């Protein structure tokens, strides 16, 4: 799923039934920057709370678009 970096994490969790952490950053881009402890470049990937993510677009030092693969997380949750 392609996601705008400015989306509020609580809203994203509510719309998608995901479980991204909400105790720090308010936006998905902020969560990624907080997790990586730096501003990533396009193509940087990480896994946050079991969700694989890739930064697709960065403009003016702001993450604009992220690819998130929720299927891997959902499959792992079902296996537990």
């Amino acid at each position: 799923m392609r996601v705008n970096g400015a989306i509020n994490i609580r809203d994203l969790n509510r719309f998608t039934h995901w479980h991204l952490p909400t105790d720090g950053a308010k936006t998905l881009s902020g969560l990624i920057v907080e997790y990586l402890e730096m501003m990533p470049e396009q193509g940087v990937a990480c896994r946050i709370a079991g969700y694989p993510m890739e930064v697709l677009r960065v403009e003016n030092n702001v993450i604009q678009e992220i690819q998130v693969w929720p299927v891997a997380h959902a499959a792992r949750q079902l296996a537990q």
Side-chain angles (χ1 to χ4, degrees):
M1 172 183 289
R2 288 180 181 234
V3 181
N4 184 306
I7 192 165
N8 180 285
I9 297 169
R10 289 182 192 276
D11 291 341
L12 182 60
N13 282 340
R14 188 171 47 250
F15 297 146
T16 60
H17 304 288
W18 295 351
H19 302 285
L20 293 168
T22 58
D23 55 342
K26 299 208 180 305
T27 65
L28 183 56
S29 64
L31 180 65
I32 292 171
V33 170
E34 184 178 87
Y35 178 81
L36 295 174
E37 298 180 347
M38 63 172 214
M39 176 55 68
E41 296 180 6
Q42 179 180 330
V44 169
C46 61
R47 184 181 303 263
I48 300 176
Y51 297 88
M53 301 180 191
E54 179 183 353
V55 175
L56 298 177
R57 189 165 47 99
V58 177
E59 291 178 6
N60 299 321
N61 220 24
V62 175
I63 301 170
Q64 298 292 327
E65 191 173 26
I66 300 126
Q67 177 77 39
V68 182
W69 288 272
V71 176
H73 180 73
R76 189 185 64 172
Q77 290 291 5
L78 290 174
Q80 292 180 352

